[in-house]
Amino acid sequence: MRVHVVSDVHGNSRDLKRAGEGADALICLGDLVLFLDYADHSRGIFPDLFGVENADRIVELRTARRFEEAREFGNRLWDGVDRNAAVESAVRRQYAELFAAFPTPTYATFGNVDIPRLWPEYAGSGITVLDGERVEIGGRVFGFVGGGLRTPMRTPYEIDDEVYAAKIAALGEVDVLCTHIPPDVPELCYDTVARRFERGSAALLDAIREVRPKYAVFGHVHQPLARRMRIGATECVNVGHFASTGTPWTLEW
C-alpha cells in the first residue's frame, strides 16, 4: 500500500494534479488557500487586492511580531471594501481550481487558513473530508483533526484549545495521526525563516505519548527546525510545505 501525504498547498494546483501519481490514495492536511506568499509577496489574495508594496509592509510587520500594527495597517487598507465578499470570492476561485486537481481517492482535513463551510460545495465524490474523525485505508486506521489554535494572526479556522483537545480525544486508537498543526515540541514548531514559534498542540503531544500511533504527520510550519522526530514509539513527520516543494511525502506498508 502506498499513500502520498501533502500539507500547506497554498494555491499550488499544478503540482497537486500530480501528487497522487503512483499512490493508492492522497492525504491532504490543509491550507489550500494562498492569502499571502511570504516568499513571493506578489502572489496571493492580499497583493491581488492591495499591491505588492502593501504586501511587503504587512509581511515586515508580522515578521517583526508587531501584530497590532499589522492589524491596524490592514484595517486601513480594507476600509471601504466589503472584506468578507472580496475574500470569499477569491477563495472560491482558488477552491474551484484546487479541488478539481485532487485525485481519487483523497482524504483531506482543514488548515488554519481554510474556510470549512465552503468545502462541501467543492469536495466531489472522490474526496472525503474528515475533522475529528477516523477512516481505514489499506487496513490501517487514520485519524484526522484539522485547523489551528488561537493566535494573534486570527486566521479563519482557529479553534479553542479545549475544542481541539476534544477532537483529538474523540479519535481513540489510531495507526496514523493526521493533523494540520504539529505537537507542542519546540523543534517541530519553530520556523527558521519566519523566526518564530508557531502554535503546536499539547493535547496532540499527550495523545502521541498515550496512544502511541506508528506515525503522526502534520504540516503548518513551513521551514521547521526539525522535520522528523521520534516521540516514544511514534515517528513524527512534517510532511512539508507543498506550495514550495511540490513533492508529497510517501507512506508505504
Side-chain angles (χ1 to χ4, degrees):
M1 194 73 184
R2 181 184 178 100
V3 172
H4 288 175
V5 190
V6 302
S7 186
D8 299 87
V9 175
H10 292 302
N12 188 353
S13 60
R14 180 193 62 190
D15 291 320
L16 189 60
K17 291 176 182 177
R18 301 191 293 266
E21 292 179 357
D24 296 292
L26 177 72
I27 288 175
C28 179
L29 302 181
D31 271 9
L32 301 184
V33 172
L34 178 61
F35 190 77
L36 176 57
D37 189 333
Y38 277 56
D40 180 355
H41 303 168
S42 68
R43 298 181 63 245
I45 295 171
F46 188 91
D48 286 349
L49 290 170
F50 302 117
V52 176
E53 185 176 334
N54 286 321
D56 290 341
R57 179 58 177 162
I58 205 161
V59 168
E60 178 187 7
L61 291 171
R62 287 178 176 175
T63 302
R65 304 187 64 80
R66 293 156 61 184
F67 295 118
E68 194 58 42
E69 289 181 64
R71 190 170 299 115
E72 291 174 359
F73 177 72
N75 287 340
R76 290 196 297 272
L77 294 175
W78 284 106
D79 189 35
V81 178
D82 187 335
R83 181 172 185 157
N84 291 335
V87 170
E88 181 167 322
S89 177
V91 168
R92 284 182 176 277
R93 288 194 296 272
Q94 291 189 16
Y95 277 168
E97 183 176 348
L98 291 160
F99 276 90
F102 277 132
T104 298
T106 290
Y107 302 89
T109 196
F110 315 111
N112 61 292
V113 302
D114 286 311
I115 303 178
R117 65 179 174 80
L118 298 181
W119 280 37
E121 298 182 41
Y122 297 94
S125 58
I127 303 169
T128 303
V129 180
L130 303 129
D131 187 16
E133 300 163 284
R134 299 151 43 112
V135 67
E136 185 176 311
I137 305 173
R140 287 190 173 181
V141 178
F142 289 69
F144 291 77
V145 173
L149 299 175
R150 302 287 182 193
T151 72
M153 302 288 282
R154 299 182 184 177
T155 51
Y157 191 44
E158 295 180 351
I159 59 179
D160 293 336
D161 288 50
E162 296 77 11
V163 175
Y164 192 92
K167 290 185 180 186
I168 291 289
L171 298 178
E173 292 190 7
V174 297
D175 299 304
V176 184
L177 191 46
C178 304
T179 59
H180 177 67
I181 63 174
D184 188 17
V185 177
E187 294 89 340
L188 299 175
C189 294
Y190 187 74
D191 191 307
T192 60
V193 173
R195 293 178 296 176
R196 66 168 180 258
F197 286 98
E198 302 289 354
R199 283 209 67 191
S201 168
L204 174 57
L205 179 59
D206 289 343
I208 289 169
R209 288 170 171 160
E210 293 168 11
V211 176
R212 296 165 61 86
K214 187 172 181 61
Y215 292 97
V217 293
F218 47 87
H220 188 55
V221 183
H222 293 176
Q223 299 91 12
L225 189 62
R227 292 202 174 274
R228 300 178 75 116
M229 175 181 293
R230 182 165 288 277
I231 298 176
T234 303
E235 186 72 16
C236 299
V237 184
N238 183 315
V239 300
H241 181 206
F242 186 77
S244 63
T245 68
T247 303
W249 182 74
T250 299
L251 177 60
E252 292 183 294
W253 65 97

